[in-house]
Amino acid sequence: MGQIVDIGRRIELIPMDSYFHDIAIALYQQQQDGPSFLVHTYSRIEGASQRIQFVIETMQTLGGMTATESGLLQFPCGLDHQLACKRVFLEACKFDSTHLVESRPDTIFDKKSSCNVTVLSHGNGRYQVTADGDGTGKERRVSAIAGGLSKLGDMMAFDEENPDQIAFPCGCSHDALVGLLLVRAPNVRAVVREQQMTASRGVLSSPSQQK
Ligand SMILES: [Zn+2]
């Protein structure tokens, strides 16, 4: 006890993992051969390390991330995409460890417009949101969902003539990640509320020795 190891800066916290004995699971960011992320728990409960391993593997599937030999997560492009990584972490912790998690498809059904909304990859990190059918307000929904994606993934928007298009600043494709963010993009306000709640809970339950 009392040993202080620099495991990086904590950027996200699940204070109580309802799928595994309410343990706290945190996401740390480090700078080791480029930005990398550590999933960590201080819990010594039996099975906790398997739970952490499950979260790491699920983040690889959902976010298209890679893991180093020591289990640190990175994006293949070498950028941190910190905001997106936090989302991948939060979503990965929403599965119980018996779940076979698959990456998300590039299409969702949008209830508000009653359209299937698809994200097309144009390469070099550039994506376009499209919707089928000709429901009323379809174009507005497409812009809103593209806006949601850019907020959630810290993506760049294009000019006003192309409100349906967004891009990652790294210029690399992140298809799995876009599929994951697409699920939440139609309702960004709820996501932001969830983030604020997690953040405030994190402050309350943060032991002083944690960074
Ligand atoms: Zn990237």
Side-chain angles (χ1 to χ4, degrees), residues 45-168:
I45 294 177
E46 196 182 340
S49 60
Q50 281 92 330
R51 177 62 179 160
I52 297 302
Q53 188 55 35
F54 170 81
V55 173
I56 291 170
E57 284 165 17
T58 305
M59 286 179 72
Q60 291 178 69
T61 305
L62 293 178
M65 302 183 79
T66 55
T68 65
E69 269 181 31
S70 49
L72 293 173
L73 288 158
Q74 297 175 324
F75 285 105
C77 65
L79 277 202
D80 65 354
H81 296 298
Q82 189 197 86
L83 189 67
C85 183
K86 286 158 76 163
R87 174 102 322 251
V88 175
F89 170 70
L90 292 172
E91 297 296 334
C93 291
K94 287 178 184 168
F95 292 97
D96 83 77
S97 304
T98 58
H99 203 99
L100 180 69
V101 181
E102 291 177 346
S103 61
R104 292 282 173 263
D106 58 5
T107 300
I108 53 158
F109 179 73
D110 176 49
K111 276 184 234 148
K112 268 194 194 158
S113 59
S114 299
C115 290
N116 288 307
V117 173
T118 302
V119 181
L120 306 172
S121 174
H122 290 312
N124 300 325
R126 191 166 177 155
Y127 291 87
Q128 182 181 13
V129 179
T130 63
D132 67 1
D134 45 18
T136 48
K138 189 181 90 173
E139 278 176 24
R140 246 199 352 258
R141 282 304 285 160
V142 162
S143 316
I145 289 171
L149 279 174
S150 78
K151 274 208 190 78
L152 292 171
D154 230 347
M155 297 171 79
M156 304 180 300
F158 284 87
D159 48 57
E160 281 172 19
E161 282 172 22
N162 299 293
D164 56 341
Q165 297 193 34
I166 42 184
F168 285 106

Side-chain angles (χ1 to χ4, degrees), residues 87 187-201:
R87 174 102 322 251
N187 199 358
V188 164
R189 252 181 265 167
V191 173
V192 171
R193 259 202 312 274
E194 182 195 38
Q195 276 166 347
Q196 286 165 346
M197 278 170 60
T198 318
S200 59
R201 279 205 311 264

